[in-house]
Amino acid sequence: MSGTKPDILWAPHQVDRFVVCDSELSLYHVESTVNSELKAGSLRLSEDSAATLLSINSDTPYMKCVAWYLNYDPECLLAVGQANGRVVLTSLGQDHNSKFKDLIGKEFVPKHARQCNTLAWNPLDSNWLAAGLDKHRADFSVLIWDICSKYTPDIVPMEKVRLSAGETETTLLVTKPLYELGQNDACLSLCWLPRDQKLLLAGMHRNLAIFDLRNTSQKMFVNTKAVQGVTVDPYFHDRVASFYEGQVAIWDLRKFEKPVLTLTEQPKPLTKVAWCPTRTGLLATLTRDSNIIRLYDMQHTPTPIGDETEPTIIERSVQPCDNYIASFAWHPTSQNRMIVVTPNRTMSDFTVFERISLAWSPITSLMWACGRHLYECAEEENDNSLEKDIATKMRLRALSRYGLDTEQVWRNHILAGNEDPQLKSLWYTLHFMKQYTEDMDQKSPGNKGSLVYAGIKSIVKSSLGMVESSRHNWSGLDKQSDIQNLNEERILALQLCGWIKKGTDVDVGPFLNSLVQEGEWERAAAVALFNLDIRRAIQILNEGASSEKGDLNLNVVAMALSGYTDEKNSLWREMCSTLRLQLNNPYLCVMFAFLTSETGSYDGVLYENKVAVRDRVAFACKFLSDSQLNRYIEKLTNEMKEAGNLEGILLTGLTKDGVDLMESYVDRTGDVQTASYCMLQGSPLDVLKDERVQYWIENYRNLLDAWRFWHKRAEFDIHRSKLDPSSKPLAQTAAMFPFFRKSPESKKPSAPETEADGFVLLGDTAHEQRKAAKGKTSEAEDSQPLEWTGQNLSKFEPLVQ
Amino acid sequence: MFVARHIAADHKDLIHDVSFDFHGRRMATCSSDQSVKVWDKSESGDWHCTASWKTHSGSVWRVTWAHPEFGQVLASCSFDRTAAVWEEIVGESNDKLRGQSHWVKRTTLVDSRTSVTDVKFAPKHMGLMLATCSADGIVRIYEAPDVMNLSQWSLQHEISCKLSCSCISWNPSSSRAHSPMIAVGSDDSSPNAMAKVQIFEYSENTRKYAKAETLMTVTDPVHDIAFAPNLGRSFHILAVATKDVRIFTLKPVRKELTSSGGPTKFEIHIVAQFDNHNSQVWRVSWNITGTVLASSGDDGCVRLWKANYMDNWKCTGILKGNGSPVNGNSQQGNSNPSLGSNIPNLQNSLNGSSSGRKHS
């Protein structure tokens, strides 16, 4: 405290007060700002606390050290050690009726003037104050004063009194200490030992000494350089810390010969070391010119003597502010809280956090432990502000029977929440595949049915070199375009794309109507245009513009369309090719791309990624030659596989290619649920047997188990066994009794939870289950719990019927 | 997005670990007070402590559940140099009537000469196995050859890591394409530049664990490590808590391309690295799908991380250790008070959410 570097102290009893001292003493009051605004004149200490200056005391110049009186006092009684070795009692209170009134202003004067380095109040005998002084020849360096001792006896030599010239009330001078210790030495730091009020630990010039006031002629000491800042661990009274330059030494007073531990050396000299008063084994240290408080978390009670293992120490550091820290003080009662002060007297109040351990539960709630407290944190179900995680999505989808609608297959995307365009595309694809497979099987059993599930890529390949193009008239326009003659394969492809319906009729009318109905005006217009019906396209756009939610701009687009001219060098063409890039809607964009394209080069349409894959593929089937089409499909398939885009299942079908695609989808999303249900939709056995597919299925079942969706898992297994009879023909009952052990309380029918899906869990004694499990271990080849449960089913059966 | 509530834990000292069972219906906590507590979730969603007992003669660092297929089984490890396996005793007793359950020690694993810092059961498909690691740098893998007899555990493997170990994580993948694998982290703080994460893989040929990979870029002390649930992915995800949060992916290089027989080679990528905790990161934990990572650090906050469809990881939530939310905008993580900064007064709106509901 050389006048520039402030120190800071919490009041030992009035825990909302602290003092900052440099050239003067400033008393502050801390308030929580949690429920109130920051008051005018307050200083913000942290997000939720602020300090108000209560009073300033500048009566005591040349302060070297300050110690707060340990007993409760409304007056804020402080002892101040000065550069001349005097100790002055002063206060910051306003209460002049205090019982300590008489003490204020009292001075304790050593025989010879030298710096007072340290002060320590005795924690038990509250009137005892120890002062540590610099060396002065053979004089004593540790003086213990009794602050209640009588005033200066008359025998005090006159020269002593003269020392305090200017003092008006010489009667307040005390010159006779209770004890004088540490002769011919210097004292740098002091602390009383809590185990006995008569024991004083002092950091002397070259040693640590324990003085016993019952016998002042003797002392226990150990030679060391670590003599600064001696401080006793408030939780283990035999543990003491002291420091020297960058090094902290930890001592065990029971074996005082050498430090039990020295902490890793810090690059700069230490200025303060303090044990946390509210938590065991936490030591805070501060070095010069640093904005970091380094903490040593001694995770263990001091080891008993003779044990060689070092205690586990975890080093941590906190940075309470950006500036250098002049000093810090632990809050006496608030857990792990401290206040720091910077050289320019800004202050900051913060809490050192305990190491938090945490764990996720399978049902998306997070539990963590901080200190001695537990906190649980659950995702709010009804919060739509953020996209739900796939774990939550899968759980909700499992509850809504997602994947299990095997009739109206497309409806599964509705069950999935109708929010994901890729899932929508996937389930429509699977729906069409199912529909046309059945169609084909009826027409010519055992013929091409399996081809449908192989995807458009295989379908198109199978018809290589058989298609010729011909010129078609535009309806309502004097124009012709080359369109591929549609063979059976291309028709099937268009059907899978959803453009045309069952039968040989190649009319897109119904499809357009359904798009219009759903308000997909731009898409409908584009499809109409691709079918060379520009009038219909314009009509749809007009309709869209006049509809309730329609966009009036569609009229403008319609107008632009109607101005279409085949003239190569027309202004229309020029403007459309440049302005179309500014259209936000991809379908509007590709319409103009189509109209302005050269015959046979449709890249503007084919590679517009924002247009649905099914529309682009249908377009390609209509306009590309066989070789072009093949190349395009090949390219697009690879793109889809790489991206794990489910729209690509239209191309790959449920083949190995499809598994590859699904693999990147799972890698990207973790959605094993969709992967499992998709592959169980109609994959041939060799695909189902793919290790990856089996692995997804296993993982999905495991999720259902973790969520205790026994019923859902049973449904899933039944669904699975329909397609893959080899997946262990499961007795339906077996699926409902997954192996798990529950303590007998569960015998009382517990109210079924929502996620438990209405199934009351049947308790079984551990013994029975151990017996049952024995059956399993004998053939512990495969750890699927169901298999052995099935073997022991006989005793369950009556329960299930 | 998330709301926290307080649960009266009633531990007498710091809690070091929290662990859920397979279904998330039971929870275990352990503490420096040398005890383990088991908690059961009631139908209303509240947690009730149903067992609390002294487990060790030192701080209990970690507690973990076996898969319920093996019964209600816990393992704990401690500063007292041991790990222990516990089983719930089912039967009518006075305890039952008081809603308490009774746990007995089935075995004590005493092979370590130093503090046992972590214990984890192996994935279910490997059988009833558990791994421990200790401050003396040895990972030990034990197996109960007879799952019916929890008092017999044989030490199957001892893997020397050369560095004081702080944490282990089994690769949870049950795919036949992936061999059993365990990652080990070290919190050795001596100033050397040695890599602090090692990954060992079991070889069918040698019947031994051999080092498959070392994460050379992690040279600072590691406090926690966690493989993400594999969930059918073709690669593995590993989160590391060191001076920052790091997420690695390990893509097995196809077997055909490597010399057969040797350990699997991996393409290792670091996909995320966040220093928002300002300093040390203490724990990492994955959700059930391995899509959200939670981490805790020296800033006293719990942070949630999630990847978007582009595999860009981002912070999606921050909560203070005491359960109150942090201003969502201040994702730079400077939750430490800096003077004069005008931090909006959040608490008003937050108090309603972190209700101090008490339990037990």
Side-chain angles (χ1 to χ4, degrees):
Chain A
M1 228 183 307
S2 45
T4 52
K5 251 185 87 185
D7 198 358
I8 195 160
L9 291 95
W10 279 103
H13 295 286
Q14 291 148 295
V15 291
D16 55 353
R17 284 166 192 224
F18 65 88
V19 153
V20 174
C21 30
D22 37 24
S23 55
E24 56 193 17
L25 297 162
S26 317
L27 178 69
Y28 290 89
H29 179 240
V30 185
E31 278 171 315
S32 159
T33 54
V34 170
N35 292 313
S36 59
E37 290 298 307
L38 192 61
K39 273 194 245 163
S42 306
L43 297 163
R44 188 167 277 291
L45 294 180
S46 71
E47 238 174 90
D48 43 25
S49 65
T52 323
L53 183 61
L54 291 183
S55 61
I56 293 180
N57 175 336
S58 41
D59 299 344
T60 48
Y62 320 117
M63 282 191 284
K64 280 292 158 191
C65 49
V66 180
W68 207 304
Y69 185 56
L70 292 178
N71 266 12
Y72 176 77
D73 76 301
E75 278 291 272
C76 301
L77 189 65
L78 292 163
V80 177
Q82 291 175 310
N84 57 9
R86 292 186 175 205
V87 178
V88 183
L89 295 183
T90 186
S91 97
L92 284 151
Q94 291 91 23
D95 178 3
H96 297 292
N97 301 321
S98 158
K99 62 174 170 163
F100 298 110
K101 192 176 56 184
D102 297 340
L103 294 173
I104 293 159
K106 221 166 172 184
E107 281 190 45
F108 304 90
V109 188
K111 272 200 234 61
H112 299 101
R114 56 255 155 92
Q115 180 167 311
C116 177
N117 292 319
T118 177
L119 290 171
W121 291 95
N122 189 308
L124 295 168
D125 194 329
S126 60
N127 291 335
W128 288 12
L129 175 65
L133 303 159
D134 269 351
K135 186 173 159 150
H136 186 273
R137 295 199 190 112
D139 200 1
F140 295 97
S141 58
V142 179
L143 304 178
I144 296 166
W145 304 96
D146 180 351
I147 57 164
C148 291
S149 70
K150 286 283 162 253
Y151 300 149
T152 320
D154 294 332
I155 50 164
V156 166
M158 278 311 288
E159 51 163 0
K160 281 276 162 61
V161 179
R162 238 182 281 128
L163 257 177
S164 59
E167 297 281 351
T168 47
E169 294 182 70
T170 50
T171 47
L172 284 175
L173 288 184
V174 179
T175 53
K176 178 90 183 98
L178 208 55
Y179 296 96
E180 292 174 308
L181 307 161
Q183 199 166 18
N184 196 12
D185 207 342
C187 174
L188 296 155
S189 62
L190 279 174
C191 74
W192 294 92
L193 295 182
R195 63 176 178 187
D196 193 311
Q197 70 176 91
K198 303 256 166 146
L199 293 181
L200 180 68
L201 174 65
M204 307 304 283
H205 180 48
R206 283 188 188 282
N207 57 59
L208 286 181
I210 298 174
F211 296 104
D212 189 339
L213 301 188
R214 288 161 296 205
N215 181 0
T216 51
S217 62
Q218 294 217 333
K219 66 175 182 189
M220 202 164 98
F221 72 96
V222 52
N223 290 328
T224 175
K225 283 182 174 173
V227 295
Q228 296 185 64
V230 289
T231 172
V232 182
D233 184 339
Y235 286 86
F236 298 105
H237 292 166
D238 288 322
R239 185 154 71 180
V240 169
S242 67
F243 65 88
Y244 160 70
E245 292 193 341
Q247 201 144 42
V248 177
I250 309 289
W251 306 83
D252 189 326
L253 297 181
R254 295 168 296 188
K255 45 170 184 178
F256 201 39
E257 314 84 57
K258 61 180 172 67
V260 284
L261 197 68
T262 46
L263 304 180
T264 45
E265 190 161 351
Q266 299 184 28
K268 288 177 189 160
L270 290 152
T271 54
K272 184 157 187 172
V273 167
W275 296 99
C276 176
T278 53
R279 144 87 147 76
T280 55
L282 189 61
L283 186 74
T285 67
L286 174 67
T287 63
R288 207 169 61 197
D289 302 337
S290 159
N291 55 2
I292 283 172
I293 304 253
R294 200 173 292 272
L295 298 157
Y296 296 87
D297 190 350
M298 296 173 206
Q299 296 250 322
H300 238 271
T301 56
T303 46
I305 293 175
D307 197 325
E308 293 301 313
T309 56
E310 288 197 345
T312 326
I313 293 184
I314 293 168
E315 254 185 83
R316 303 168 56 179
S317 54
V318 288
Q319 189 191 334
C321 55
D322 296 332
N323 294 328
Y324 286 158
I325 299 164
S327 185
F328 70 91
W330 287 108
H331 191 278
T333 52
S334 247
Q335 207 164 26
N336 292 9
R337 177 174 166 194
M338 66 162 62
I339 192 160
V340 299
V341 62
T342 64
N344 58 4
R345 293 186 67 156
T346 50
M347 293 159 289
S348 177
D349 172 12
F350 76 105
T351 298
V352 177
F353 295 100
E354 293 296 350
R355 302 204 301 158
I356 298 168
S357 64
L358 37 76
W360 279 102
S361 97
I363 42 175
T364 349
S365 75
L366 184 66
M367 183 75 73
W368 73 84
C370 182
R372 289 172 216 173
H373 303 281
L374 275 177
Y375 298 90
E376 187 182 27
C377 183
E379 203 173 1
E380 275 187 333
E381 293 278 342
N382 50 7
D383 186 3
N384 296 319
S385 61
L386 273 167
E387 209 202 345
K388 288 190 179 73
D389 182 58
I390 192 68
T392 314
K393 280 187 190 168
M394 283 197 279
R395 224 172 122 249
L396 294 173
R397 286 172 186 172
L399 287 172
S400 70
R401 304 191 71 250
Y402 170 60
L404 286 168
D405 196 329
T406 50
E407 292 307 315
Q408 297 294 309
V409 177
W410 63 273
R411 274 186 49 81
N412 284 309
H413 100 84
I414 307 278
L415 298 176
N418 193 10
E419 54 182 12
D420 187 330
Q422 283 195 28
L423 289 187
K424 182 171 178 180
S425 168
L426 171 71
W427 289 107
Y428 269 100
T429 299
L430 293 172
H431 179 75
F432 292 136
M433 284 179 172
K434 177 174 182 294
Q435 198 178 337
Y436 295 113
T437 305
E438 283 163 6
D439 220 27
M440 294 251 188
D441 284 347
Q442 270 170 16
K443 266 194 283 179
S444 49
N447 188 13
K448 284 194 169 161
S450 63
L451 188 59
V452 178
Y453 273 115
I456 288 179
K457 187 179 158 196
S458 314
I459 294 170
V460 163
K461 247 191 189 130
S462 70
S463 72
L464 255 184
M466 301 194 302
V467 178
E468 284 173 2
S469 65
S470 58
R471 298 193 73 76
H472 284 247
N473 279 322
W474 282 68
S475 74
L477 268 185
D478 182 20
K479 174 183 160 79
Q480 288 190 320
S481 281
D482 278 329
I483 284 199
Q484 308 296 324
N485 284 327
L486 296 175
N487 61 7
E488 208 179 305
E489 283 77 19
R490 290 205 183 210
I491 288 177
L492 179 57
L494 285 177
Q495 286 173 333
L496 289 178
C497 290
W499 275 25
I500 54 174
K501 289 260 179 240
K502 258 198 263 199
T504 48
D505 197 6
V506 287
D507 180 17
V508 292
F511 178 54
L512 290 180
N513 290 338
S514 71
L515 287 181
V516 166
Q517 229 160 44
E518 287 186 26
E520 294 192 63
W521 313 106
E522 296 88 351
R523 191 176 167 204
V527 173
L529 187 71
F530 297 155
N531 284 284
L532 309 186
D533 195 344
I534 199 165
R535 277 190 185 282
R536 184 75 212 273
I538 291 168
Q539 181 204 336
I540 290 170
L541 290 176
N542 284 330
E543 226 177 293
S546 54
S547 76
E548 226 171 276
K549 285 175 286 177
D551 179 0
L552 278 178
N553 289 330
L554 291 182
N555 270 331
V556 181
V557 177
M559 204 152 41
L561 267 190
S562 60
Y564 170 70
T565 164
D566 210 13
E567 195 69 41
K568 287 275 181 287
N569 298 317
S570 66
L571 182 63
W572 185 91
R573 219 163 235 270
E574 196 184 313
M575 294 322 290
C576 281
S577 346
T578 49
L579 290 177
R580 78 175 180 89
L581 296 172
Q582 291 171 22
L583 288 169
N584 284 329
N585 186 293
Y587 283 97
L588 296 181
C589 194
V590 294
M591 278 162 80
F592 289 103
F594 176 62
L595 287 176
T596 56
S597 63
E598 301 297 322
T599 317
S601 84
Y602 299 115
D603 285 6
V605 181
L606 294 172
Y607 295 104
E608 173 54 63
N609 286 330
K610 287 182 195 135
V611 168
V613 168
R614 54 184 354 100
D615 292 329
R616 284 191 276 156
V617 169
F619 177 87
C621 286
K622 271 188 105 66
F623 292 97
L624 295 189
S625 71
D626 267 353
S627 57
Q628 282 179 313
L629 180 62
N630 251 305
R631 246 178 294 134
Y632 175 65
I633 299 281
E634 187 81 29
K635 199 168 168 202
L636 192 58
T637 306
N638 288 336
E639 215 174 275
M640 295 288 120
K641 272 164 72 172
E642 196 136 304
N645 186 335
L646 292 180
E647 289 183 65
I649 292 288
L650 177 70
L651 304 171
T652 64
L654 304 180
T655 56
K656 190 179 166 296
D657 264 352
V659 177
D660 289 346
L661 188 153
M662 196 56 89
E663 183 177 26
S664 3
Y665 173 75
V666 171
D667 281 354
R668 186 165 63 79
T669 62
D671 184 2
V672 280
Q673 185 180 41
T674 299
S676 302
Y677 276 118
C678 169
M679 289 302 159
L680 285 172
Q681 203 57 43
S683 306
L685 266 185
D686 61 315
V687 170
L688 268 188
K689 285 278 170 261
D690 189 303
E691 246 179 45
R692 292 170 289 179
V693 178
Q694 290 297 321
Y695 188 44
W696 298 330
I697 290 173
E698 183 190 323
N699 271 283
Y700 183 52
R701 292 176 81 246
N702 193 53
L703 281 180
L704 293 176
D705 277 350
W707 292 328
R708 302 163 74 244
F709 287 179
W710 318 123
H711 194 172
K712 299 293 173 211
R713 205 194 67 182
E715 275 184 301
F716 179 79
D717 285 338
I718 295 161
H719 178 71
R720 175 190 182 193
S721 63
K722 276 186 199 150
L723 198 75
D724 177 12
S726 68
S727 73
K728 313 281 179 333
L730 296 163
Q732 194 172 340
T733 48
M736 296 182 186
F737 292 93
F739 179 81
F740 81 104
R741 240 182 332 149
K742 185 100 168 114
S743 44
E745 303 100 283
S746 59
K747 270 185 177 160
K748 39 182 194 271
S750 53
E753 292 176 278
T754 45
E755 74 258 36
D757 201 25
F759 267 70
V760 175
L761 306 170
L762 294 160
D764 197 354
T765 67
H767 181 63
E768 268 176 299
Q769 291 193 357
R770 279 259 185 259
K771 268 203 318 213
K774 262 184 184 141
K776 179 213 165 200
T777 46
S778 58
E779 46 164 315
E781 222 171 50
D782 192 336
S783 56
Q784 284 204 7
L786 280 177
E787 287 150 42
W788 67 264
T789 328
Q791 291 162 4
N792 292 277
L793 253 175
S794 51
K795 66 180 173 204
F796 290 130
E797 262 161 8
L799 284 166
V800 187
Q801 282 161 2
Chain B
M1 177 185 179
F2 284 94
V3 179
R5 63 177 192 185
H6 178 249
I7 297 167
D10 206 30
H11 270 293
K12 291 182 190 68
D13 208 332
L14 300 183
I15 300 171
H16 293 297
D17 200 15
V18 187
S19 166
F20 282 106
D21 78 338
F22 177 68
H23 298 298
R25 307 267 305 162
R26 309 194 88 183
M27 173 175 76
T29 54
C30 63
S31 158
S32 268
D33 68 10
Q34 311 184 351
S35 76
V36 165
K37 285 177 197 279
V38 171
W39 306 74
D40 281 271
K41 199 175 190 176
S42 72
E43 298 305 337
S44 56
D46 297 331
W47 290 97
H48 297 283
C49 180
T50 53
S52 173
W53 72 101
K54 183 176 187 294
T55 47
H56 289 274
S57 53
S59 288
V60 188
W61 300 135
R62 300 269 193 162
V63 62
T64 186
W65 293 86
H67 191 275
E69 183 177 320
F70 303 112
Q72 295 299 308
V73 179
L74 281 174
S76 59
C77 67
S78 162
F79 181 76
D80 72 3
R81 308 172 188 182
T82 68
V85 177
W86 308 87
E87 188 181 21
E88 186 176 20
I89 290 298
V90 187
E92 299 302 327
S93 71
N94 290 337
D95 284 347
K96 275 279 155 318
L97 300 174
R98 285 184 286 114
Q100 295 292 297
S101 61
H102 187 57
W103 291 75
V104 292
K105 190 193 273 188
R106 290 303 186 200
T107 197
T108 307
L109 306 169
V110 296
D111 301 278
S112 172
R113 287 155 175 248
T114 54
S115 172
V116 182
T117 49
D118 200 354
V119 62
K120 293 273 159 55
F121 282 103
K124 176 191 72 164
H125 67 275
M126 292 173 62
L128 189 49
M129 289 180 100
L130 69 78
T132 66
C133 71
S134 48
D136 57 7
I138 296 175
V139 173
R140 294 180 176 83
I141 296 173
Y142 298 87
E143 182 170 17
D146 175 5
V147 297
M148 294 305 104
N149 184 356
L150 293 175
S151 54
Q152 264 191 21
W153 291 80
S154 57
L155 179 57
Q156 295 286 341
H157 303 279
E158 275 193 325
I159 311 168
S160 173
C161 298
K162 311 277 194 302
L163 283 173
S164 157
C165 301
S166 56
C167 49
I168 43 179
S169 175
W170 288 96
N171 183 342
S173 169
S174 62
S175 165
R176 270 174 281 276
H178 305 144
S179 305
M181 189 196 287
I182 190 164
V184 188
S186 165
D187 62 355
D188 185 304
S189 58
S190 57
N192 60 28
M194 277 177 81
K196 299 296 193 299
V197 176
Q198 301 173 60
I199 297 167
F200 298 91
E201 193 188 46
Y202 183 68
S203 155
E204 281 296 342
N205 294 339
T206 59
R207 295 175 178 273
K208 278 202 172 99
Y209 281 84
K211 196 185 285 185
E213 289 293 345
T214 306
L215 301 185
M216 299 308 295
T217 53
V218 184
T219 52
D220 293 287
V222 169
H223 307 290
D224 199 11
I225 193 166
F227 272 111
N230 179 269
L231 210 77
R233 289 184 196 90
S234 61
F235 56 91
H236 312 297
I237 310 175
L238 184 68
V240 177
T242 170
K243 65 171 185 190
D244 46 25
V245 180
R246 291 189 206 182
I247 303 171
F248 294 89
T249 56
L250 291 84
K251 236 176 220 126
V253 177
R254 293 203 186 277
K255 278 279 189 202
E256 307 94 74
L257 302 177
T258 61
S259 54
S260 56
T264 318
K265 287 276 167 259
F266 294 93
E267 261 176 51
I268 299 181
H269 293 286
I270 179 157
V271 292
Q273 182 167 7
F274 296 107
D275 58 1
N276 303 42
H277 284 295
N278 291 339
S279 182
Q280 298 301 311
V281 180
W282 301 120
R283 289 296 174 91
V284 282
S285 171
W286 289 100
N287 73 338
I288 188 170
T289 47
T291 47
V292 184
L293 180 74
S295 65
S296 69
D298 245 345
D299 60 348
C301 290
V302 173
R303 288 166 190 270
L304 304 179
W305 311 96
K306 187 168 155 47
N308 68 4
Y309 65 99
M310 298 285 286
D311 206 29
N312 282 329
W313 289 80
K314 286 210 172 84
C315 183
T316 61
I318 314 176
L319 283 147
K320 279 192 194 165
N322 61 7
S324 58
V326 176
N327 188 354
N329 301 326
S330 65
Q331 299 212 342
Q332 284 316 303
N334 191 9
S335 75
N336 283 325
S338 52
L339 282 163
S341 69
N342 185 21
I343 303 155
N345 188 354
L346 280 169
Q347 267 349 85
N348 283 334
S349 56
L350 306 177
N351 271 354
S353 54
S354 61
S355 60
R357 239 199 280 177
K358 301 263 170 163
H359 299 263
S360 75

